[in-house]
């Protein structure tokens, strides 16, 4: 029997979880098995800082990104995140010494410059911009793609209706949820998750939790064995 998480005064996502669980039995089972949504945005960060941090972690293990950022902070007189002006004052060799690749140095310098000229808005300014407007504006920066901006919308700006359809974890989560033979395409996933709106950010979090389900790995192993003829 599917049992939904109980309402709690400390659960800001209860309405979203109940909305998702009401879509169909697959979503109801996922919400029941995972439990309360534990999505944790970082709303105190400015978009500039969030973007620079995102670049640091691109294509790296979390520990490697943590180490790079720690070295970046150590370059400052005080152990706080550098301002755009301070970041631009660091030359290529200093940033390479922190662990940033040449491409990442160019990207974070571009983010800092775009913050100073107004292309990267302040947190206060983002309140006047829609999700689509922010994506359209920020993907013009070198090294910043749609996924990076969607993570900014989800984690820094706490926008409630973000579903990154190009994210592997989201695609794999939905494939497993619906027992699909292959990963869904972008258009297919957009259409299939329309019912999750206006809570697609919480839906994204639940789809990311799919690998933690007890039956996930056994079913993946069985599927892989069938595909290779070893089952």
């Amino acid at each position: 029997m599917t049992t939904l998480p109980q309402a709690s005064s400390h659960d800001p996502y209860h309405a979203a979880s109940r909305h998702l669980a009401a879509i169909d039995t697959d979503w109801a089972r996922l919400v029941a098995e995972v439990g309360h949504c534990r999505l944790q945005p970082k709303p105190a960060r400015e978009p500039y800082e969030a973007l620079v941090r995102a670049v640091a972690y691109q294509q790296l293990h979390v520990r490697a990104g943590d180490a790079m950022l720690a070295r970046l902070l150590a370059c400052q007189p005080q152990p706080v995140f550098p301002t755009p002006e301070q970041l631009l004052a660091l030359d290529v060799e200093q940033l390479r010494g922190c662990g940033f690749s040449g491409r990442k140095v160019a990207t974070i310098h571009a983010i800092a410059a775009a913050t100073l000229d107004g292309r990267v808005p302040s947190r206060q300014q983002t309140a006047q911009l829609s999700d689509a407007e922010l994506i359209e504006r920020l993907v013009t920066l070198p090294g910043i793609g749609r996924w990076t901006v969607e993570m900014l919308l989800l984690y820094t700006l706490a926008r409630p209706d973000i579903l990154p359809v190009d994210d592997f974890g989201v695609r794999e989560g939905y494939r497993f949820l619906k027992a699909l033979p292959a990963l869904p395409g972008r258009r297919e996933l957009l259409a299939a998750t329309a019912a999750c709106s206006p809570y697609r950010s919480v839906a994204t979090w639940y789809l990311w939790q799919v690998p933690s389900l007890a039956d996930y790995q056994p079913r993946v192993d069985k599927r892989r064995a069938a595909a290779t003829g070893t089952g």
Side-chain angles (χ1 to χ4, degrees), residues 2-56:
T2 299
T3 304
L4 298 179
Q6 296 300 304
S8 166
S9 59
H10 303 296
D11 183 6
Y13 301 116
H14 184 69
S17 298
R18 292 194 68 85
H19 174 90
L20 297 175
I23 293 173
D24 59 29
T25 55
D26 293 327
W27 276 104
R29 173 178 172 269
L30 177 61
V31 170
E33 290 195 17
V34 173
H36 296 291
C37 176
R38 297 180 299 281
L39 178 64
Q40 295 181 318
K42 305 290 184 183
R45 288 178 181 161
E46 283 290 318
Y48 151 74
E49 179 181 344
L51 288 172
V52 172
R53 286 180 177 275
V55 170

Side-chain angles (χ1 to χ4, degrees), residues 12 82 84 124 156 170:
Q124 184 176 8
T156 302
V170 170

